[in-house]
Amino acid sequence: MSILESAFEKRNKKQNKVEKVKSLKSPMDSYTKLEEIAKGGYENLTKEDSSYFLKCFGLFDKGEDFMLRVRIPIGQLNNEQAMRIGEVAQKYGNDYIDLTTRMQIELRYLQIENIAKVLSELKEVGISTFQTGVDNPRNTVADPLDGLAFDNIINVKAIVERLQSLVIENPEWISVLPRKFNTGILGSLSNSCNIFGHDCCFVLANSNGEFGFNVYLGARVGVQSKDANIFVSVDEVSDFYMALLETFKTYGYRDNRNKNRLHFLLQDVGVEAFVDEIKRRAGKDFSPAGQTLVQSQNIALGSNRVLLKNGKYAYKVIVPSGIFSGSDMIELASRAKGFGSGNIRLTYDQNIFIVDIDKSALDALESTTIISKYKAFNNIYFNDMIACAGTKTCSFGVIPNKPDAIEMAHFLNSEIAIESGMVRMNWSACPKGCGVHGIADIGFEGCKAKDDEGNRVDGVHIFIGGKITRVAKEARVLHKTLPITEAKYHIKYLLQTYAQYKQR
Ligand code: SF4
């Protein structure tokens, strides 16, 4: 018996509850009956559709309404798609849009009777919501300026399209994995998408003069991915990826869901045995790792005008905590068309680039109403801030989070305005860590704390010193269980020291 088979046998004697739900039917049965489900109204929604099957298509039951997670491969939207998302949010979703750290968007407040219409209006412009929830290959992230940035060596768009065509909307790959599976692919020198933070990470590398990707595997919250000692050429990515998914599907654990991300399988069998199985399935002996080329954090950090290799500019619109609206998306898309190519790029830090703007048009762009509105947030505290959903829209949330992050950034900017520099503040409202606080310069994890009078109040654990450069590093704990009202003074002190150091 191979090491993978014996690990599988040990961990699959008992199946978890979700696996039992998954065995009830094919998710496509729910998808094809969406109109019927909608007509039946909220009261007739079955428990398994609400708790699992609809999530395979991005639909999350929030009690009175639905959240819809929309797949935006590597964060790229053409003008028509951006406009349509804005219109759909306006028409059906209280004009609200959340930008997420997987470079996609979430629409909220959707009524059950409108769901089929929403999906069909998105589909008309080539937007899918398939496999954006539960046990599926989730949205792939990349450099938001892929194909445009000066430091972009491999334009990964065609590779991602190929991977999508093999897996997304393919019933054979809907809900067949033991757990969610995140993928990142970076063809640039700078780490603009937390590239070491996914289950599968293709990282720009050089092997004997050929550019391709070194593979890193098995990240999860609080743990960066491990070097798999494999180099894949551009043409080999899809073979490797499909063999990887097959291996995880076959041997991934289906008992304890708290311990069944790819990370746990790798921990038990070792990366080498896992990779040997991938090679066997792919029928290829991939080369050993080349030289990983990622060198720095995102080149666009700290600046909102970025010169591109075609001589034009990208303009970064800072969206506090990723809270956006349909109206603003429409307005932004219209300006993106008027001043640039019309395309829009969503970033991993919940902001938006409009691209291909002539240098001579930048000042005029900045004076438009929509850009002026968000320009107010262009300071070091907001520029690279990340904040997950929080209590308002996520049942796991312990603190509101998005408003806390915004309040903290405003407070710091009013107390210690620092003109240039970079402070990446990431906020997660619970230990699940969707706000990637563990890799932040200053990370916040929501908790409950006690104030001076012993009252239970919103609090945070504070982390510092995370890194997303070539040697990714998890932040360390600075303070545990501080009321947020107190935490801001600790951070102010920290930033005062940073400001002094910067001046020297
Ligand atoms: S970190 Fe927790 S609260 Fe935030 S989105 Fe994830 S699960 Fe929800």
Side-chain angles (χ1 to χ4, degrees):
M1 189 183 281
S2 76
I3 187 167
L4 276 156
E5 284 165 342
S6 76
F8 176 81
E9 203 176 273
K10 225 186 266 175
R11 285 286 310 270
N12 289 280
K13 292 199 168 87
K14 204 175 148 207
Q15 299 228 315
N16 62 55
K17 281 186 196 152
V18 174
E19 287 300 327
K20 286 181 187 147
V21 172
K22 283 157 85 173
S23 67
L24 294 176
K25 61 178 175 179
S26 154
M28 287 308 287
D29 291 347
S30 300
Y31 187 76
T32 49
K33 287 187 190 138
L34 260 180
E35 289 209 26
E36 213 176 288
I37 292 173
K39 267 192 207 132
Y42 192 78
E43 314 73 56
N44 292 324
L45 191 63
T46 66
K47 199 164 167 245
E48 61 270 15
D49 276 338
S50 151
S51 69
Y52 188 83
F53 292 107
L54 292 184
K55 290 180 184 170
C56 291
F57 310 101
L59 282 160
F60 289 72
D61 179 3
K62 293 291 176 188
E64 295 164 350
D65 48 36
F66 283 81
M67 181 272 273
L68 178 66
R69 191 174 292 149
V70 179
R71 181 175 281 270
I72 318 248
I74 58 173
Q76 295 192 16
L77 285 171
N78 65 33
N79 197 260
E80 187 186 25
Q81 290 172 327
M83 283 283 184
R84 182 61 59 90
I85 284 173
E87 287 158 8
V88 166
Q90 268 186 333
K91 259 199 277 183
Y92 306 108
N94 281 11
D95 200 20
Y96 185 88
I97 293 176
D98 263 331
L99 308 177
T100 79
T101 54
R102 290 215 71 75
M103 299 171 115
Q104 53 194 355
I105 63 132
E106 290 174 355
L107 301 173
R108 298 188 183 275
Y109 313 115
L110 304 174
Q111 298 303 310
I112 192 165
E113 63 270 21
N114 293 327
I115 280 169
K117 277 185 268 181
V118 169
L119 295 179
S120 121
E121 287 180 30
L122 292 174
K123 198 174 173 191
E124 270 172 17
V125 293
I127 295 177
S128 173
T129 65
F130 272 60
Q131 292 138 292
T132 53
V134 287
D135 301 346
N136 285 295
R138 305 292 189 85
N139 196 37
T140 301
V141 301
D143 180 354
L145 296 178
D146 180 61
L148 298 173
F150 257 106
D151 71 332
N152 181 245
I153 309 277
I154 301 175
N155 181 339
V156 302
K157 189 172 183 200
I159 303 172
V160 174
E161 281 172 352
R162 166 94 182 122
L163 300 184
Q164 289 252 131
S165 71
L166 293 168
V167 172
I168 304 307
E169 301 203 0
N170 176 352
E172 282 176 28
W173 282 104
I174 300 174
S175 181
V176 295
L177 297 176
R179 199 73 157 88
K180 73 172 171 183
F181 192 86
N182 290 339
T183 305
I185 179 163
L186 183 67
S188 303
L189 294 172
S190 59
N191 186 355
S192 46
C193 59
N194 182 22
I195 190 58
F196 298 101
H198 312 276
D199 294 278
C200 172
C201 321
F202 294 104
V203 185
L204 181 69
N206 180 320
S207 173
N208 298 318
E210 182 185 3
F211 290 114
F213 305 94
N214 281 346
V215 178
Y216 291 72
L217 296 172
R220 61 184 284 267
V221 170
V223 182
Q224 295 289 315
S225 54
K226 290 184 183 60
D227 185 351
N229 191 22
I230 286 281
F231 174 86
V232 289
S233 68
V234 167
D235 292 337
E236 288 172 335
V237 171
S238 57
D239 286 345
F240 180 89
Y241 190 68
M242 295 313 290
L244 164 61
L245 287 184
E246 285 284 358
T247 308
F248 184 47
K249 176 182 147 193
T250 308
Y251 295 107
Y253 300 149
R254 292 176 192 262
D255 56 353
N256 179 358
R257 282 184 72 80
N258 291 326
K259 291 190 173 176
N260 74 342
R261 289 283 294 270
L262 176 64
H263 164 83
F264 293 98
L265 178 60
L266 294 176
Q267 204 174 40
D268 290 346
V269 304
V271 176
E272 210 178 317
F274 187 79
V275 166
D276 282 347
E277 178 63 15
I278 293 173
K279 288 179 183 169
R280 192 189 68 73
R281 283 173 184 264
K284 274 188 185 171
D285 201 14
F286 299 98
S287 308
Q291 184 194 2
T292 295
L293 296 178
V294 176
Q295 288 173 0
S296 63
Q297 303 195 85
N298 188 357
I299 51 167
L301 287 178
S303 160
N304 60 350
R305 293 177 173 201
V306 185
L307 178 61
L308 305 173
K309 59 184 170 188
N310 62 6
K312 300 200 173 198
Y313 277 76
Y315 188 91
K316 190 176 183 184
V317 181
I318 304 301
V319 182
S321 291
I323 300 172
F324 207 50
S325 70
S327 311
D328 284 356
M329 183 65 99
I330 291 169
E331 178 73 12
L332 199 69
S334 145
R335 294 304 174 190
K337 199 168 184 181
F339 287 88
S341 59
N343 295 332
I344 277 183
R345 305 283 183 100
L346 307 182
T347 74
Y348 127 88
D349 54 10
Q350 301 172 303
N351 295 309
I352 301 177
F353 275 114
I354 52 181
V355 296
D356 296 323
I357 307 152
D358 284 332
K359 188 177 183 183
S360 58
L362 281 168
D363 288 343
L365 172 70
E366 273 196 336
S367 65
T368 58
T369 313
I370 183 74
I371 300 296
S372 303
K373 174 177 170 183
Y374 288 95
K375 200 167 167 248
F377 303 106
N378 184 218
N379 62 61
I380 71 162
Y381 301 113
F382 279 103
N383 277 353
D384 309 299
M385 188 172 86
I386 291 174
C388 82
T391 44
K392 190 174 174 200
T393 49
C394 179
S395 56
F396 294 104
V398 182
I399 60 171
N401 208 48
K402 282 181 187 280
D404 299 318
I406 291 171
E407 198 186 319
M408 174 80 80
H410 276 310
F411 171 76
L412 294 172
N413 197 45
S414 66
E415 296 283 317
I416 323 155
I418 301 173
E419 269 201 11
S420 67
M422 189 183 70
V423 181
R424 294 177 306 114
M425 295 197 293
N426 297 359
W427 290 69
S428 302
C430 84
K432 285 185 180 279
C434 306
V436 285
H437 60 276
I439 50 149
D441 293 328
I442 307 174
F444 301 89
E445 181 192 307
C447 64
K448 287 295 174 197
K450 289 217 166 125
D451 67 11
D452 289 345
E453 278 137 34
N455 302 313
R456 211 169 125 82
V457 294
D458 290 341
V460 280
H461 306 307
I462 301 175
F463 300 75
I464 56 163
K467 275 203 165 97
I468 54 168
T469 44
R470 182 171 170 192
V471 183
K473 191 173 137 199
E474 287 290 323
R476 64 182 189 280
V477 177
L478 178 68
H479 286 293
K480 289 286 266 183
T481 329
L482 278 178
I484 294 181
T485 46
E486 197 181 312
K488 62 185 190 180
Y489 295 104
H490 287 264
I491 302 301
K492 178 183 161 185
Y493 176 73
L494 198 71
L495 267 304
Q496 265 166 349
T497 313
Y498 171 69
Q500 277 167 11
Y501 176 79
K502 286 278 300 166
Q503 278 157 17
R504 282 208 301 273

